[in-house]
Amino acid sequence: MSTTVRAHTIRNNQIIDNRTGLIFRKSDRQHHVCRERSDEHWTVGILFLDGSGGTNSPVQTAANSSFSNNNIIGNW
C-alpha cells in the first residue's frame, strides 16, 4: 500500500557545516519549517530544486509552506 504525504514538518534541528542545508526537490507539498538552525554550509541554507526536467510537472512550488523562527546564517 502506498501513501502520499502532502505536508512535512521540520522542527528543532541543527543542520551545520554541510554542502547544502535543506534541499526540497520535486516540491509540490506544504512544508512547515520552524526553529531550525542551518548555518556554515558550503552553498546555501535552504534550496528549492526543480526536479521536473523543465516540464513543471508536478508543479514546483513552495506555495502554502511556512518558515518561521529559523536561524539561517553564515552560508556561502
Side-chain angles (χ1 to χ4, degrees):
M1 184 165 134
S2 176
T3 302
T4 301
V5 176
R6 285 289 173 202
H8 303 283
T9 299
I10 302 169
R11 179 180 308 150
N12 295 327
N13 294 286
Q14 293 187 19
I15 305 167
I16 302 168
D17 195 24
N18 294 290
R19 182 170 301 276
T20 303
L22 293 170
I23 300 175
F24 295 100
R25 186 168 190 265
K26 293 186 177 181
S27 182
D28 65 342
R29 310 283 193 261
Q30 294 176 343
H31 304 289
H32 307 287
V33 180
C34 60
R35 295 188 297 271
E36 286 294 309
R37 178 179 173 197
S38 182
D39 59 312
E40 303 301 326
H41 301 297
W42 300 358
T43 59
V44 296
I46 297 177
L47 173 66
F48 287 87
L49 183 64
D50 182 349
S52 70
T55 64
N56 204 32
S57 178
V59 175
Q60 310 292 292
T61 181
N64 301 314
S65 294
S66 64
F67 296 83
S68 61
N69 299 316
N70 296 294
N71 188 9
I72 304 170
I73 60 170
N75 299 296
W76 174 74

